[in-house]
């Protein structure tokens, strides 16, 4: 009887495998997303098999491939103590080795490279969700396999296995840059499609178009082109790239971890401590310059009913939807954070209390008119029409501290909730406390 290793170290018969497969995390995904992830992995596997069967293998290429994979493993091991950011699009500098492989070796090697490097990362690094690692490696295989194929379609006068001198090295380097950009487009296009299937309100700019993301991607592409040039001249010279690659990878991972510490994982907004720090800075600046400033506390009405109906995990999609509405409708310099389980906080720089009230009313109407649909593998067809209560306060008194401003907005929020919800309350001086609208 065949014995198989089951989770938790228990051995059982082959008949137990289907039950084990059903416990995989991938089955918790919504059907469209699950089908897409499985489909991309299957396409990558079939493509790799076809390319391997058609590749004329040369023994001289195997040591170069082994050296490139070894360099990638060394950089992983050199930064083993630095955790990777989880739950977001990560950048780990491994693509420099994939691009070099795609340029100096046939497409089969470019498609195979993510397998040993991905397996090593699963073994040595924090695992996270395994299906995400496998899907990511599949997109990388397809992306850099295409880049390698494109490079070899070009005539030798433009490309070739080695960069020549004069104008040829310029065209060769430019083509490598174009192939790297193509791989970036394919890889991130496949990833973003999965992100949109998981969260239809996700925006391309938020995932790949921020200043930090563009800076990291351009730096990674530049290093990849430089490494490909060095490897094409003489593979032994790749050893020179190891120290800077390991150093920059450590810096990259650390930067992503620092950024993630500031961000709420569910909504993508600033978390409460980060929002508090940045909001206090805005408050001090307004007090120093005499500029108007207002803040709002936003709470979803009866949010516990959503959690009770679809569960905590599925209700996270509702929070992400509200957060997306806030980002879309507010100005770029407004400071938005998640302040509690179902609460958000906003600072409006250069804004009076009356202007903040008008902005809040527009937000309230937008949220009330935009139904939220929860549809996944276990809860399909739940439609929620949510409302929010908002408390607004203005920092127009020179003797008011930031804590006083937060307390005033919190008191106004309480007034809006006591009035039945779906209301805007503006804090006013005196015994009235707040004005409802």
């Amino acid at each position: 009887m065949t014995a198989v290793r089951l989770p938790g170290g228990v051995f059982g018969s082959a008949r137990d495998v289907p039950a084990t497969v059903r416990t995989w995390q991938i089955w918790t995904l919504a059907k469209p997303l699950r089908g897409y992830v499985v489909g991309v992995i299957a396409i990558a596997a079939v493509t790799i098999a076809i390319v391997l069967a058609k590749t004329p293998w040369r023994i001289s290429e195997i040591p170069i491939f082994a050296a490139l994979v070894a360099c990638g493993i060394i950089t992983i091991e050199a930064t083993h103590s630095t955790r990777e950011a989880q739950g977001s699009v990560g950048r780990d500098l491994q693509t420099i080795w994939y691009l070099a492989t795609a340029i100096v070796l046939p497409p089969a090697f470019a498609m195979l490279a993510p397998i040993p490097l991905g397996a090593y990362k699963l073994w040595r690094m924090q695992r996270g969700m395994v299906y995400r690692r496998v899907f990511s490696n599949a997109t990388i295989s397809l992306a850099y396999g295409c880049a390698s194929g494109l490079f070899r379609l070009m005539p030798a006068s433009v490309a070739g296995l080695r960069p020549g001198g004069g104008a040829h090295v310029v065209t060769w380097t430019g083509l490598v840059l174009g192939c790297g950009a193509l791989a970036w487009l394919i890889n991130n296009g496949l990833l973003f499609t999965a992100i949109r299937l998981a969260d239809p309100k996700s925006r391309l700019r938020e995932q790949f178009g921020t200043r930090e993301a563009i800076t990291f991607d351009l730096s990674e592409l530049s290093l990849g082109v430089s490494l490909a040039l060095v490897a094409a001249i003489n593979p032994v010279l790749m050893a020179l790239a190891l120290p800077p690659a390991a150093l920059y990878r450590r810096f990259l991972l650390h930067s992503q971890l620092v950024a993630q510490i500031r961000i709420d994982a569910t909504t993508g907004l600033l978390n409460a401590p980060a929002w508090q720090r940045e909001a206090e800075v805005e408050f001090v600046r307004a007090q120093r310059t005499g500029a108007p400033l207002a803040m709002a506390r936003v709470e979803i009405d009866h949010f516990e009913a959503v959690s009770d109906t679809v569960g905590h995990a599925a209700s996270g999609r509702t929070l992400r939807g509200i957060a997306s509405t806030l980002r879309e409708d507010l100005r770029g310099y407004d400071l938005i954070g998640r302040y509690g389980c179902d609460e958000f906080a906003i600072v409006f720089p250069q804004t009076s209390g009356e202007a903040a009230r008008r902005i809040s009313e527009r937000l309230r109407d937008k949220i009330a008119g935009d139904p939220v649909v929860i549809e996944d593998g276990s809860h399909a067809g739940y439609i929620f029409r949510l409302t929010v209560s908002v408390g607004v306060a203005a920092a127009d008194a020179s003797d008011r501290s930031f804590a006083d401003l937060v307390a005033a907005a919190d008191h106004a929020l309480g007034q809006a909730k006591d009035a039945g919800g779906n209301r805007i309350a503006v804090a006013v001086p005196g015994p009235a406390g707040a004005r409802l609208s």
Side-chain angles (χ1 to χ4, degrees), residues 119-198:
Y120 189 83
K121 284 179 66 177
L122 278 174
W123 177 53
R124 291 294 287 162
M125 308 288 285
Q126 182 177 353
R127 292 198 172 199
M129 295 186 179
V130 175
Y131 75 85
R132 291 183 179 177
R133 299 275 193 184
V134 176
F135 173 75
S136 179
N137 285 341
T139 64
I140 291 171
S141 291
L142 292 172
Y144 286 90
C146 289
S148 183
L150 173 64
F151 185 80
R152 276 154 184 76
L153 287 175
M154 296 295 105
S157 59
V158 177
L161 295 179
R162 298 289 182 271
H168 184 264
V169 71
V170 176
T171 59
W172 191 94
T173 304
L175 182 59
V176 174
L177 182 64
C179 290
L182 173 66
W184 183 91
L185 287 172
I186 294 173
N187 182 34
N188 288 318
L190 292 171
L191 290 177
F192 184 67
T193 301
I195 292 171
R196 283 298 297 268
L197 288 172

Side-chain angles (χ1 to χ4, degrees), residues 299-307 342 384 386-387 417 420-421:
E299 182 173 336
I300 304 173
D301 296 325
H302 312 299
F303 183 72
E304 62 276 4
V306 178
S307 297
D342 55 354
F384 298 94
L386 300 175
T387 60
K417 291 167 58 181

